[in-house]
């Protein structure tokens, strides 16, 4: 199969999934195709990222569970699982203190969806990983240290 055809099939598959999620009501149409917030994703310091996310008053909580390896052998693919046990949580953000760009991802949830995420993130070096959760008009935070033997970010 040619690379152009693969790419076209991949895009068509992604649009099909988005369309199904929109039709099922899991993802509002505006959210499915929203623009990237440059102020958030280009933050070069943790304070800038917290300000861009309007999370300067985040409260530490035990209601956010972060599962990640204590030592990751390869910083290019660090598995992380997040579960939020706070009623009404609708948004989760992952921030990495020692990465060039601090925000690794933002996930938004509908009211009837469990706020849980399993993904892989890049770590340029050993770092604290912060998870923010928005619930009932407040911002909550948890932190976990992850050590890396081989960094995963070039820039």
């Amino acid at each position: 199969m040619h690379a152009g055809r693969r790419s076209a099939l991949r895009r068509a598959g992604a649009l099909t999934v988005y369309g199904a999620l929109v039709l099922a009501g899991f993802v509002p149409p505006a959210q499915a195709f929203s623009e990237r917030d440059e102020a958030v994703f280009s933050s070069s310091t943790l304070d800038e990222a917290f300000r861009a996310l309007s999370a300067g008053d985040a409260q530490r909580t035990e209601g956010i569970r972060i599962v990640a390896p204590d030592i990751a052998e390869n910083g290019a693919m660090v598995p992380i699982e997040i579960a939020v046990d706070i009623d009404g949580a609708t948004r989760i953000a992952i921030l990495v203190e020692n990465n060039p760009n601090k925000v690794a991802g933002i996930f938004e949830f509908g009211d009837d969806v469990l706020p849980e995420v399993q993904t892989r993130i890049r770590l340029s070096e050993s770092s604290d990983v912060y998870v923010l959760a928005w619930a009932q008009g407040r911002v909550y935070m948890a932190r976990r240290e992850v050590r890396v033997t081989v960094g995963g970010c070039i820039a």
Side-chain angles (χ1 to χ4, degrees), residues 35-54 91 95 100-104 106:
E35 292 290 320
R36 173 181 145 128
D37 187 346
E38 287 300 320
V40 170
F41 285 98
S42 64
S43 301
S44 59
T45 68
L46 211 52
D47 287 338
E48 283 179 16
F50 273 78
R51 274 195 306 275
L53 290 165
S54 300
R91 187 177 189 200
L95 292 83
N101 296 331
K102 305 307 178 195
V103 179
I106 299 174

Side-chain angles (χ1 to χ4, degrees), residues 42-146:
S42 64
S43 301
S44 59
T45 68
L46 211 52
D47 287 338
E48 283 179 16
F50 273 78
R51 274 195 306 275
L53 290 165
S54 300
D57 61 345
Q59 302 173 357
R60 290 193 183 267
T61 183
E62 298 292 322
I64 300 173
R65 188 185 58 192
I66 305 170
V67 178
D70 291 327
I71 300 174
E73 289 186 30
N74 183 355
M77 293 184 5
V78 179
I80 185 168
E81 295 180 26
I82 300 160
V84 178
D85 296 324
I86 301 169
D87 288 337
T90 57
R91 187 177 189 200
I92 294 173
I94 304 170
L95 292 83
V96 182
E97 185 171 22
N98 292 335
N99 274 3
N101 296 331
K102 305 307 178 195
V103 179
I106 299 174
F107 305 88
E108 298 197 19
F109 304 92
D111 295 331
D112 298 329
V113 178
L114 290 174
E116 296 181 0
V117 173
Q118 293 181 0
T119 189
R120 296 184 186 280
I121 60 174
R122 289 181 184 247
L123 296 177
S124 61
E125 59 186 83
S126 297
S127 182
D128 286 337
V129 174
Y130 291 86
V131 173
L132 303 175
W134 284 259
Q136 302 172 357
R138 300 176 118 174
V139 183
Y140 299 92
M141 173 181 60
R143 180 188 65 81
R144 177 155 171 52
E145 179 185 15
V146 179

